[in-house]
Amino acid sequence: MHRVKVRVVEDALDANNTIARANRDDFDRHGVTVVNLMSAPGAGKTALLERALHELPGVRAGVLEGDVQGSYDADRLASLHVPVTQINTDPGFGGECHLDANMVRSAVPALPLEELDLLVIENVGNLVCPAEFRVGEDARIMVSSVTEGEDKPLKYPLMFRTCELVLVNKVDLLPHLDFDLERFLRNLDAVHPGVPHMLVSARTGEGVEAWRDWLAALPARREERVGFR
Amino acid sequence: MHRVKVRVVEDALDANNTIARANRDDFDRHGVTVVNLMSAPGAGKTALLERALHELPGVRAGVLEGDVQGSYDADRLASLHVPVTQINTDPGFGGECHLDANMVRSAVPALPLEELDLLVIENVGNLVCPAEFRVGEDARIMVSSVTEGEDKPLKYPLMFRTCELVLVNKVDLLPHLDFDLERFLRNLDAVHPGVPHMLVSARTGEGVEAWRDWLAALPARREERVGFR
């Protein structure tokens, strides 16, 4: 019974990877660099995007918003005057807890790829399943809020292990928390040795310039580096 | 294709409900009241449990811990001297993002049901799928941290709609956040009119007495009320 389940899951992930590669081909053909932005609910993905996409230097950016229901984040981003496309994962039952390659595939015709250098896909807020499903991205960025505690890398290792950058958000709250930053960074290093991280606050703007620069440089890095993926 | 998927999901939920009823029968036979405790990662489920189970008046409590990996929360609860049983959801692939009835069923033989009045099942940190899977509980409690923002009831409506109590945690941080409590409560009321809520802080202890009393009274309420479930 258990082995059958594992087999079914592996087949589903195989199918997902095939569709993810088709997405990649479409993105490549248009020269669009794609970021998969992931976090727990309320960690600050949208707020950090608002900060970064406001005056992102020399890069034409767009956003694909993934939510179970509604378009609250897309509405927030509307003032930035970048193209925003919404996917909802709820048709049929209580809602998917992640984006998969096929959901992104269904949105590709609605994306103005020829007008973009960079597409940020904001995933559903969840630290488990989004990490299991590639959607055709070049890079994965995850946001971990200091309010969530130091143990999160140990409890959700796949998510922390498969990302290229960790944004440690809400550092303005550190004086009001018992959060041990050194311990968090040790836990992060234990599951993903050497992964870069940035301390940021979407609220105060601390660290936002470095995050914006990292994002703005991504399309050029993708062109330059062999084996970037 | 989509209809086939919906059908498969519905069949899976049917199977889950059948097993959940078997769990309920076992819990009923032993007179154990069962709570399903849910939240996003890092919202404070374990910290609030530590607070409540420390000197829970007149009730013999136990905990079933659900995590993707590790036993960090179970280790934290060990000092409370209540029986704690661990379920990990990771065998086979990246990890299930929720507990289902069958996982709880597999833990039932390890639970000292004859010694318990109350069993708290701490679910995997996730605002989507845990709400879709009944595990045999009498009541659902969800924890929503004020650091997560006011929009969470609108973005994860099933979770907020299917619980009997909402613990609004980390209220000690309110002076340091832009969180609009009235707006959060309006959003909560929009998706689940009349659901009780408590403002609490696991850090300072604010509101913890009311939460502990609610939990301690649950087994008696279950006995008294017809149609409690």
Side-chain angles (χ1 to χ4, degrees):
Chain A
M1 172 69 184
H2 184 63
R3 288 183 61 178
V4 170
K5 185 175 175 192
V6 170
R7 177 71 178 277
V8 168
V9 169
E10 284 173 352
D11 285 353
L13 290 178
D14 268 358
N16 184 75
N17 285 337
T18 301
I19 301 170
R21 277 191 293 274
N23 292 343
R24 279 305 300 264
D25 290 344
D26 282 351
F27 299 143
D28 282 347
R29 202 163 29 247
H30 290 88
V32 181
T33 302
V34 179
V35 165
N36 188 352
L37 184 63
M38 303 184 284
S39 79
K45 292 186 295 303
T46 311
L48 286 168
L49 261 190
E50 286 180 296
R51 284 282 192 174
L53 298 187
H54 183 69
E55 300 182 5
L56 191 68
V59 172
R60 301 170 303 165
V63 179
L64 182 58
E65 274 295 334
D67 285 297
V68 176
Q69 230 179 63
S71 62
Y72 307 101
D73 294 340
D75 297 345
R76 280 171 66 184
L77 294 172
S79 65
L80 295 172
H81 305 295
V82 301
V84 179
T85 306
Q86 179 76 50
I87 303 178
N88 284 132
T89 71
D90 69 342
F93 73 125
E96 294 280 354
C97 62
H98 60 277
L99 293 179
D100 64 24
N102 203 41
M103 294 180 213
V104 171
R105 186 114 205 98
S106 71
V108 166
L111 295 170
L113 293 181
E114 62 289 347
E115 298 165 21
L116 299 180
D117 304 309
L118 177 71
L119 175 69
V120 180
I121 301 177
E122 186 178 339
N123 219 310
V124 178
N126 179 355
L127 289 184
V128 188
C129 301
E132 293 163 13
F133 292 84
R134 294 268 161 193
V135 295
E137 68 270 42
D138 294 280
R140 294 175 152 205
I141 302 175
M142 74 156 299
V143 182
S144 191
S145 162
V146 294
T147 57
E148 295 165 21
E150 306 92 346
D151 57 352
K152 292 301 159 294
L154 303 178
K155 293 178 73 177
Y156 303 91
L158 186 66
M159 173 63 74
F160 285 85
R161 193 173 288 142
T162 61
C163 60
E164 276 75 38
L165 175 69
V166 176
L167 297 172
V168 184
N169 193 25
K170 307 193 190 181
V171 293
D172 58 294
L173 294 175
L174 281 174
H176 314 294
L177 301 173
D178 303 318
F179 185 83
D180 182 338
L181 183 60
E182 289 307 311
R183 205 171 119 217
F184 172 82
L185 294 176
R186 275 200 307 277
N187 290 341
L188 177 59
D189 199 61
V191 302
H192 193 166
V195 64
H197 72 269
M198 292 179 184
L199 305 183
V200 297
S201 166
R203 188 166 181 247
T204 67
E206 182 180 343
V208 162
E209 205 175 320
W211 145 236
R212 189 190 286 135
D213 289 347
W214 193 98
L215 200 58
L218 203 58
R221 283 176 56 208
R222 178 168 172 274
E223 299 280 318
E224 280 164 23
R225 285 174 48 190
V226 178
F228 176 78
R229 296 173 199 173
Chain B
M1 173 69 184
H2 184 64
R3 289 184 61 177
V4 170
K5 186 176 174 192
V6 170
R7 177 71 179 278
V8 168
V9 169
E10 285 173 351
D11 284 352
L13 290 177
D14 268 358
N16 183 75
N17 285 339
T18 301
I19 301 171
R21 277 191 294 273
N23 292 342
R24 279 304 302 260
D25 289 345
D26 283 349
F27 298 143
D28 282 348
R29 199 160 35 245
H30 291 87
V32 181
T33 302
V34 178
V35 165
N36 188 354
L37 184 63
M38 303 184 284
S39 80
K45 292 185 297 300
T46 311
L48 286 169
L49 261 189
E50 286 179 295
R51 284 281 193 176
L53 297 188
H54 183 69
E55 300 182 6
L56 191 68
V59 173
R60 300 170 304 163
V63 180
L64 182 58
E65 275 294 335
D67 284 298
V68 176
Q69 230 178 64
S71 61
Y72 307 101
D73 293 341
D75 298 343
R76 280 171 66 184
L77 295 172
S79 65
L80 295 171
H81 305 293
V82 302
V84 179
T85 306
Q86 179 77 50
I87 303 179
N88 284 131
T89 71
D90 70 342
F93 74 125
E96 294 280 355
C97 62
H98 59 276
L99 293 178
D100 65 23
N102 202 42
M103 295 180 213
V104 170
R105 185 114 206 98
S106 71
V108 166
L111 295 170
L113 292 180
E114 62 288 349
E115 298 166 21
L116 299 180
D117 305 308
L118 177 71
L119 175 69
V120 180
I121 301 177
E122 186 178 340
N123 218 309
V124 178
N126 179 356
L127 290 184
V128 187
C129 301
E132 293 163 13
F133 292 83
R134 293 268 161 196
V135 294
E137 68 271 41
D138 293 280
R140 294 176 153 204
I141 302 175
M142 75 157 298
V143 182
S144 191
S145 161
V146 294
T147 59
E148 294 166 22
E150 306 92 346
D151 56 353
K152 292 302 159 293
L154 303 179
K155 292 179 73 177
Y156 303 92
L158 186 67
M159 173 63 73
F160 285 85
R161 193 173 288 141
T162 60
C163 61
E164 275 76 38
L165 175 68
V166 176
L167 297 172
V168 184
N169 193 24
K170 307 193 191 183
V171 293
D172 58 296
L173 293 175
L174 281 175
H176 313 294
L177 302 173
D178 303 317
F179 185 83
D180 182 339
L181 182 60
E182 289 307 311
R183 205 171 118 216
F184 172 83
L185 294 175
R186 275 201 307 276
N187 290 341
L188 177 60
D189 199 61
V191 302
H192 193 165
V195 64
H197 72 269
M198 292 180 183
L199 305 183
V200 298
S201 166
R203 190 167 180 246
T204 67
E206 181 180 342
V208 162
E209 204 176 321
W211 146 235
R212 188 190 287 133
D213 289 348
W214 193 96
L215 201 58
L218 203 59
R221 283 176 55 207
R222 179 169 171 271
E223 300 281 318
E224 282 165 20
R225 285 172 49 188
V226 178
F228 175 77
R229 296 172 199 179

